[in-house]
Amino acid sequence: MTSFDSSPTLNVWRALLALAVVFVMLGTSGWTAVRGHQVSTEPRAVALAAWAKGTLDGEKLPAPDTSARRMARFFTSLTAIERTDLVRRYPLVVGNLNGAPIPLRYEANRLALVEARDTERARMHDARLTPDGRQGAGRRMHRYESLLDGDRQILAFDPSDSGRVAEVFGDLEHAERVSMVVPGVDTNVMTFEKTTRKYSAPVGMAQSLYAAERAAGPRTRTAVIAWADYTTPAGLGIDSAIGRLAEDGAVRLDKLVRALPGNAPVSLFCHSYGSVLCGVAAHRLPPRVVDIAVAGSPGMRTQSASHLGTSARVWAMRDRDDWIEDVPHLDVAGLGHGADPVSSGFGARVLSAAGAVGHAGYFEPGTQSLANFAAIGVGSYDSVSCLKGNSACQRGISGADAA
């Protein structure tokens, strides 16, 4: 995460909200429109164009947006040599195809990362770039080298614009429980992992959750996905106050969940703006999503958990030091994200976040927030620690009802 980690003043936030209201009103009256930042997808677009023209044994390749089920059947029909050929010719496509075999996606993304690293290495010495441009190329080159370290399992990778990426911890193909970490604002390929404040970035969050799940359920085979494969808002601007990017991300999340191997239950752990996305996605997600847990949420774009349209249990938490508590929970002409998920009227199962500090502290080892996430992730609902007095959470411990 995010610029939500930077503790901006509430006055700045409220001023941005007021400005956003003006833009929305002008947009709906025909004077102007709310416009998000333009997303360049050049590397991905080039790869997709090549795939669209490509053939295998004289036959056209399936459209990249083919359903995961049909894509899986396509890859099942291929020989090992044919699969390898496609990976080598179109790594940036195969690595992101829902329905392609998971090991093949890892292999393709490794090749795509090598290509991206080599491109940035060349740009580091490109005299046509400014010094800042060459320095930026160096930072991206080092990030790609880091993602290539050891046997990292990169499930998705797109170097276009600010970049998107997803990584798996554990054996996804044979997991009995799958957890997904959905981060928020200012998440991209450069902020996917951090050396300082490690557990405020998707990789650190997922690593911490994976370790906690193995401790909580040592006999349960788990896998955790650090999922930063959507375009997040940049800073606390208009995009962070509306749902456009959450709606786009919800489509991507749903497609990935439906493409996951096996039928293991899936738990979503959604932080900050990531909880907006999870709220938007909830009604469309398949029944294998059994838990949606949000932390530091500005809202889920609804007024109550019962309106999310999901059979999943809905859990929420916020620590006492999280400044997001003071963000206005409103929904006016598409501005704002609705009711506070930890409020008594929302109806979520409110968990203890004892030990967590600030907006980005929920995945820190040793916190009750992380212990609660881990218990949910392995299905040990009787081990969760509810916020005192939250009856919905107490009912959720029994596993007898759903939100």
Side-chain angles (χ1 to χ4, degrees):
M1 232 345 243
T2 78
S3 28
F4 278 149
D5 298 341
S6 58
S7 299
T9 66
L10 293 177
N11 287 337
V12 171
W13 174 252
R14 291 184 175 119
L16 285 169
L17 288 176
L19 181 62
V21 170
V22 173
F23 272 95
V24 170
M25 293 176 65
L26 289 173
T28 55
S29 63
W31 284 90
T32 185
V34 176
R35 299 177 65 90
H37 56 272
Q38 298 298 307
V39 179
S40 169
T41 56
E42 182 179 355
R44 175 83 168 142
V46 170
L48 289 171
W51 174 275
K53 296 176 182 178
T55 61
L56 188 65
D57 293 334
E59 299 290 331
K60 286 184 64 65
L61 300 172
D65 59 355
T66 295
S67 71
R69 183 173 298 180
R70 291 183 178 180
M71 192 64 74
R73 286 201 297 266
F74 167 72
F75 277 97
T76 299
S77 73
L78 304 181
T79 66
I81 292 176
E82 288 172 331
R83 292 184 185 186
T84 299
D85 179 53
L86 289 180
V87 166
R88 290 176 178 173
R89 288 161 61 192
Y90 311 107
L92 199 53
V93 177
V94 176
N96 295 281
L97 286 178
N98 289 319
I102 298 300
L104 208 66
R105 290 183 67 164
Y106 296 159
E107 181 183 352
N109 285 319
R110 178 164 286 274
L111 290 179
L113 278 162
V114 169
E115 291 183 4
R117 178 200 61 190
D118 292 347
T119 295
E120 296 302 325
R121 179 178 287 151
R123 293 180 71 247
M124 289 172 60
H125 307 287
D126 189 338
R128 294 170 297 180
L129 298 179
T130 65
D132 284 346
R134 292 192 293 272
Q135 188 177 47
R139 288 195 296 268
R140 288 177 74 94
M141 189 273 289
H142 288 301
R143 167 61 71 239
Y144 299 150
E145 282 191 331
S146 175
L147 292 171
L148 285 165
D149 280 349
D151 56 356
R152 296 183 70 167
Q153 300 175 136
I154 306 302
L155 184 65
F157 171 66
D158 182 357
S160 304
D161 195 48
S162 58
R164 296 196 294 252
V165 62
E167 183 172 8
V168 175
F169 299 90
D171 185 350
L172 183 58
E173 291 185 289
H174 300 101
E176 296 172 313
R177 302 276 306 197
V178 176
S179 298
M180 294 184 64
V181 174
V182 182
V185 170
D186 285 333
T187 300
N188 52 54
V189 73
M190 295 304 296
T191 59
F192 185 57
E193 56 185 334
K194 297 179 181 178
T195 302
T196 58
R197 302 179 68 241
K198 173 181 177 179
Y199 303 110
S200 68
V203 168
M205 292 176 176
Q207 287 177 325
S208 182
L209 180 59
Y210 182 53
E213 287 184 351
R214 286 187 294 171
R219 296 184 179 180
T220 302
R221 295 193 304 272
T222 63
V224 178
I225 302 172
W227 189 76
D229 192 26
Y230 79 104
T231 300
T232 68
L236 290 177
I238 292 174
D239 274 339
S240 67
I242 61 176
R244 180 178 65 86
L245 294 179
E247 290 164 3
D248 293 343
V251 174
R252 299 181 67 84
L253 178 64
D254 176 61
K255 288 182 177 179
L256 176 60
V257 171
R258 292 180 183 277
L260 292 176
N263 56 9
V266 175
S267 298
L268 304 180
F269 299 93
C270 318
H271 182 227
S272 201
Y273 188 85
S275 69
V276 181
L277 187 159
C278 290
V280 173
H283 75 281
R284 70 169 74 225
L285 294 168
R288 69 182 296 185
V289 175
V290 295
D291 299 290
I292 301 175
V294 303
S297 175
M300 300 180 74
R301 298 197 71 78
T302 188
Q303 293 306 113
S304 72
S306 63
H307 292 167
L308 288 171
T310 178
S311 60
R313 294 178 179 83
V314 180
W315 310 83
M317 68 170 68
R318 184 174 62 225
D319 71 60
R320 65 180 61 187
D321 299 312
D322 193 336
W323 63 266
I324 209 166
E325 176 181 5
D326 296 317
V327 168
H329 288 275
L330 50 81
D331 182 4
V332 180
L335 175 70
H337 304 306
D340 184 350
V342 301
S343 65
S344 58
F346 189 80
R349 296 163 173 81
V350 183
L351 299 162
S352 169
V357 177
H359 187 63
Y362 296 98
F363 291 85
E364 287 280 347
T367 59
Q368 188 62 59
S369 52
L370 178 63
N372 278 330
F373 281 165
I376 291 169
V378 298
S380 295
Y381 300 110
D382 58 348
S383 298
V384 302
S385 176
C386 299
L387 190 68
K388 186 176 180 180
N390 186 259
S391 58
C393 182
Q394 295 294 339
R395 290 196 306 271
I397 290 176
S398 69
D401 65 331

